[in-house]
Amino acid sequence: MRLKTFVGPLVAALLLTACTGEEPETSAGSKGTVNLDIHAWVGYEAQAAVLAYLLERELGYKVNKREEKEDQSWRDFEAGKVDVIVENWGHPALKKEYIEEKKVALSAGLTGNKGVIGWYVPEWMVKKYPDITDYRNLNKYARLFRTEKTGNAGQILDGDPTFVTNDEALVKNLGLNYKVVYSGSEDALIKAAQNATRNRTPLLMYFYEPQWLFTKVKLVKIALPPYAVGCDADARKVACDYPPYLLDKIVSKRFAENGGKAYELVRNFTWTNDDQNAVAGAMINEKLTAEEAAARWVAENKIVWKDWIPR
């Protein structure tokens, strides 16, 4: 049905609703703004891009994205500067402070991703040194991992110091002749893994899944002492592997109470490691922008996301 141009927008909207039984299409941003923080790994950015795309294109919200450190995002819940952290890796201390004590945030449910953190070496090293995947054998291979920054100790390459890590405590408590060196970013870890694989140079690194890199580079996880509930309760005494992580979404209490359909979409969102890697891989391997990769995933996976959209 085509409305004449002299009909005012409000009258036109009412007529359209009356004649078709459908709500008029809402322009982007007219329903409000969602403040969504971006953390420093590509999987997070991929998930944030899909959520932002759906918030804007399907629900008519404006999305403000801000790059921020994990711990700062949590602090900014109280100040109202952030509404959503789309992928949270545990952080029990932060949950206790901001969810249980200050009551300014809450979990909006699982993302569907299964997170793994650990130590990894390139596959070629395992083929050459088959017993290297047992942490009890790492000391005899420490010389392979020495760098200018570690002297006579081997190097364990970590990422950003704000990432979830127990590595310094693990080195000390397991009696390992290693030193943790922080590369500063996920990108630096990825480049180190690619170089170590291409040039067959030794590398022992902190890393995690889901991660698109595993579709391109073969890495093998080191077997640390098995995780048991409570073995990491005291950060100074940790001597066990990282727990399996069921990643969740964290939102401000204010957003949960007043975010309307935007909050419902965030709460309903759930996908798989493969879904995330598809978007992240397109960003890295095909040089798509986050929005372009999200748009393609949305176009190809309506069966996945259609039930996330609140009615």
Side-chain angles (χ1 to χ4, degrees):
M1 170 176 142
R2 184 182 179 88
L3 295 168
K4 295 185 180 293
T5 56
F6 62 82
V7 179
L10 177 58
V11 175
L14 291 172
L15 286 172
L16 181 63
T17 302
C19 294
T20 67
E22 297 178 356
E23 292 293 331
E25 190 172 312
T26 308
S27 61
S30 65
K31 288 189 176 180
T33 299
V34 179
N35 297 310
L36 195 159
D37 271 9
I38 307 296
H39 293 164
W41 58 94
V42 69
Y44 185 108
E45 188 178 359
Q47 183 166 315
V50 170
L51 266 173
Y53 190 91
L54 293 173
L55 283 165
E56 291 175 338
R57 304 302 179 92
E58 294 293 321
L59 295 183
Y61 286 84
K62 177 182 178 182
V63 178
N64 285 336
K65 297 177 184 177
R66 181 185 71 157
E67 294 184 6
E68 194 53 82
K69 299 285 189 181
E70 292 178 79
D71 54 351
Q72 186 61 51
S73 289
W74 284 82
R75 287 195 289 270
D76 283 347
F77 278 132
E78 194 167 10
K81 295 180 180 179
V82 58
D83 296 316
V84 186
I85 293 173
V86 304
E87 183 179 282
N88 172 62
W89 287 70
H91 292 298
L94 292 172
K95 282 188 171 182
K96 181 178 181 181
E97 180 177 359
Y98 293 98
I99 294 179
E100 297 177 20
E101 296 173 356
K102 293 186 176 180
K103 302 185 186 304
V104 295
L106 53 87
S107 175
L110 300 177
T111 69
N113 297 125
K114 295 176 175 62
V116 177
I117 295 177
W119 295 354
Y120 293 82
V121 293
E123 185 184 55
W124 73 261
M125 293 196 74
V126 179
K127 291 180 178 179
K128 188 171 182 178
Y129 312 105
D131 63 345
I132 200 171
T133 58
D134 187 331
Y135 82 95
R136 289 169 292 193
N137 297 322
L138 285 177
N139 277 345
K140 77 176 184 179
Y141 294 112
R143 58 183 172 76
L144 298 176
F145 301 104
R146 292 173 184 166
T147 69
E148 292 181 356
K149 295 181 179 180
T150 63
N152 290 327
Q155 174 179 276
I156 298 177
L157 190 65
D158 269 45
D160 188 308
T162 66
F163 288 179
V164 174
T165 177
N166 300 325
D167 288 358
E168 291 184 21
L170 283 168
V171 166
K172 178 181 178 181
N173 297 328
L174 295 177
L176 299 177
N177 183 28
Y178 284 80
K179 181 179 179 180
V180 176
V181 173
Y182 293 95
S183 67
S185 69
E186 177 185 73
D187 188 51
L189 287 174
I190 290 170
K191 288 179 180 177
Q194 291 171 327
N195 290 337
T197 298
R198 181 171 53 251
N199 302 324
R200 293 179 70 84
T201 52
L203 176 68
L204 176 60
M205 65 184 287
Y206 163 103
F207 212 52
Y208 39 83
E209 303 175 54
Q211 229 300 329
W212 66 267
L213 184 64
F214 286 95
T215 66
K216 297 292 183 179
V217 173
K218 293 183 178 180
L219 302 172
V220 180
K221 191 171 182 289
I222 299 294
L224 294 171
Y227 176 80
V229 176
C231 71
D232 56 352
D234 187 335
R236 297 167 299 176
K237 298 180 179 179
V238 176
C240 60
D241 205 346
Y242 291 86
Y245 290 93
L246 296 178
L247 310 184
D248 63 346
K249 301 151 289 185
I250 307 297
V251 299
S252 71
K253 185 178 180 183
R254 182 185 295 107
F255 180 68
E257 293 174 345
N258 303 312
K261 289 188 176 182
Y263 169 66
E264 290 183 54
L265 172 58
V266 172
R267 187 186 60 196
N268 292 344
F269 177 100
T270 179
W271 66 353
T272 67
N273 288 11
D274 288 342
D275 290 321
Q276 185 178 104
N277 286 340
V279 180
M283 292 164 59
I284 300 299
N285 300 319
E286 301 178 48
K287 308 303 182 186
L288 299 185
T289 66
E291 184 175 8
E292 288 169 345
R296 186 167 77 182
W297 185 89
V298 167
E300 295 174 352
N301 291 276
K302 186 171 184 179
I303 193 171
V304 177
W305 60 261
K306 64 182 178 65
D307 291 334
W308 303 346
I309 307 301
R311 304 303 175 194

